[in-house]
Amino acid sequence: MKFKKILLVSLFAAILLTSTVSAGLFDLGSDSNNERINVTDLNIKSQGYSMYEVTCNLVPKENFTYLEMQVNFYDSDNAVIGKDSMVWNINNPVEGETIKVSGTAMTDSSSTTPARAEVYFYDEPLSDTPENALYHETVNMTN
């Protein structure tokens, strides 16, 4: 009887954990996490020699004193091959205005090609905690 209770409790815990993860409660700033800014047309284009142009349109949904974009690059084995902490920034963006964002991000080596990039927007200088991002999007890179 004791074994059945333990099994039942373990099964219930596994179902609860699975439903919590699938509901996105552990999501670190997914595309739907844009209550404060709207980011569209995100594009990353190789410029050669480990440099990548990152562009998008950004519309703040409130007034900010500061915004910045960070880009992290990963290879096909999910190893970090570049972290660029301040690809783009702006002071005092105004609610409702469309901002054409354009910046250059770099990988650590021109001999490694990124498989994906993680793009983050923050409202604090040099933030690097994904949980604090205003917006996060994964961009799968193609050669």
Side-chain angles (χ1 to χ4, degrees), residues 16-135:
L16 180 62
L17 180 61
T18 302
S19 65
T20 301
V21 171
S22 66
L25 296 179
F26 294 130
D27 189 14
L28 302 179
S30 71
D31 298 348
S32 64
N33 187 15
N34 60 358
E35 294 94 22
R36 299 177 67 199
I37 61 174
N38 184 27
V39 177
T40 58
D41 301 324
L42 181 60
N43 188 25
I44 300 178
K45 182 178 172 184
S46 176
Q47 300 297 303
Y49 302 105
S50 75
M51 295 187 318
Y52 292 84
E53 180 184 31
V54 184
T55 60
C56 68
N57 293 323
L58 182 145
V59 178
K61 295 182 179 179
E62 62 185 74
N63 292 331
F64 288 93
T65 56
Y66 179 82
L67 289 175
E68 75 177 27
M69 177 173 54
Q70 175 181 327
V71 179
N72 299 336
F73 291 103
Y74 299 85
D75 68 10
S76 59
D77 296 323
N78 285 325
V80 176
I81 59 171
K83 281 190 172 187
D84 215 331
S85 62
M86 196 164 35
V87 174
W88 169 89
N89 68 333
I90 190 170
N91 290 319
N92 303 313
V94 177
E95 176 183 358
E97 72 181 359
T98 300
I99 302 167
K100 297 280 187 183
V101 174
S102 180
T104 301
M106 298 185 72
T107 61
D108 294 336
S109 168
S110 61
S111 64
T112 308
T113 303
R116 69 181 169 90
E118 301 288 333
V119 178
Y120 298 92
F121 282 89
Y122 295 99
D123 61 351
E124 293 288 330
L126 300 174
S127 295
D128 65 356
T129 307
E131 296 86 4
N132 294 333
L134 296 173
Y135 182 86

